[in-house]
Amino acid sequence: MLYFSRWKALGIILTALVVCLFAVPNFIPEATVKTWPKWAQRHLVLGLDLQGGSHILLEVDAAAVKKDKLDQVRDDVRRTLRDINPRVQYTGLNVRGDAVEVRITRETDLPNALSKLRELSQPLGGIMGQSGARSLEVSDAGGGLIRFTVPQAAINDRLRQSVDQSLQIIERRINELGTVEPLIQRQGLDRVLVQVPGLQDPSRLKELLGKTAKLDFRMVDTSIPAEQAQGRVPADSDLLMSSTSPKVPYLVKKEVLVSGADLTDAQPGFDQRTNEPIVSFRFNTAGARKFAEATTKNVGLPFAIVLDNEVVSAPVIREPITGGSGQISGSFTVQGANDLAILLRAGALPAPLSIIEERTVGPGLGQDSIAKGELAAYIGSIFVILFMLLTYRLFGLFANIAVAINVAMIFGVLSLLNATLTLPGIAGIVLTVGIAVDSNVLIYERIREELRGGRTAIAAIDAGFKRALATILDSNITTFIAAAVLFYIGTGPVRGFAVTFGIGIITTVFTAFTVTRLIVATWVRWKRPQRVPI
């Protein structure tokens, strides 16, 4: 156990050295680090509780998700009835309460219509699908009336999908702000937690997250003036207000010519004629084709650019727009044009998000947490170092050197992973110091037992390392299992503690059975001791 070949000793030293070197960028000014190669710029990111920032808890609007689902069912029913051959006559297709209803005019069409409409009901995927839950309940209410009800299981499934999609879109929007390492995760069925370290003014963040950013291009309904449409809006149109003040009404057709989902890029800029801020956009192939067809058919008529049910602008189509690109103008500020471009690039949220909890952690509080965490780490480490020196003398010094390397390796691994360090993470590192010396205590006490049993100094040291191995592995493996459970089940600060603690356990086993043993083996080869100073 005390013999190390030259290559093995060199491998241990290089491994420890390389891992420790990854911690170096944390102690060098950021301006200097940015001049290094990309692979060498990895460093620890301080969490919200250490550097301050914004904490926002968002909730998906369940009512809007349900309404969207019912509207989709209504449109699916209309499309299905329209595609039936021979054509089915129907009336009264509308959303009523929590269901969609349609009345088949001719009784002879009812069996065929029911058969086709029941195909709209599909098994829900995943675990729910195995339990027999379906996306839609289709029932014959009598008198030719067919009712479509969306079960709660389907609403919950739609909510989960909305949250999953919202997570990706929120992450893209926040990344566009240039913030560092935001934490974005699901909370329960319909909530999203957003933590952005270093962001002290959350107003712009809230504005970006609060907008659905659903962009549509629709034709303006010119059949009657918008001012006269109050109370008698045509069935196929909506009365929308302008996004600018003073508010101006627009009568806009419900049919969407092109949706924001067909956008591939959006960039802020300036109009060359008026020098006003604008947003330039570009469609994908399908969107460019649809936009070209719509503008070709409607030359001379106004069309509306609708963002979150507000009309941004309503220009007149002077000529067909076939290039697949265009621009949006609407009395934007420079910041407003930039934010709209961010929203359009990130995509529309599937449902509105409401802020139900908001906290701002000041940098002063973060600095206080760092100072107290450092103080606790220093005091704990000093007591551990003194205990090891007083109890095990020279071997205690060897253990302290190994613990220092152990802590440096923890910071190196965390930096390599670009991990976020929180206050519970600091607690995990401090706890690791105690566990690290615990492994050395087991080894040293075993050496003492071997010496009392009459072994020679070198034989006792060799036996101490060899026989303590199984005990140390067992204790560290069981502790690592607990850290893994905390990581997979816990959230936020609990996971931060679990990450640093788990990494600390791995580096502890490495330093106890390679670094400490290498130091002791080097000392034994140099001194050839007759007694052990322990």
Side-chain angles (χ1 to χ4, degrees), residues 377-391:
Y378 291 150
I379 293 174
S381 298
I382 288 170
F383 275 110
V384 169
I385 290 169
L386 288 175
F387 173 82
M388 294 301 292
L389 288 174
L390 293 173
T391 306

Side-chain angles (χ1 to χ4, degrees), residues 45 65 98-99 127 153 155-156 165 252 256 272 299 303 326 346-347 361 377 387 404 425 428 452 454:
V45 179
V65 171
D98 293 337
I127 297 174
I155 297 294
N156 291 343
Q165 187 178 348
V252 181
V256 176
Q272 295 180 353
V299 172
F303 78 101
V361 180
F387 173 82
R452 286 194 291 267

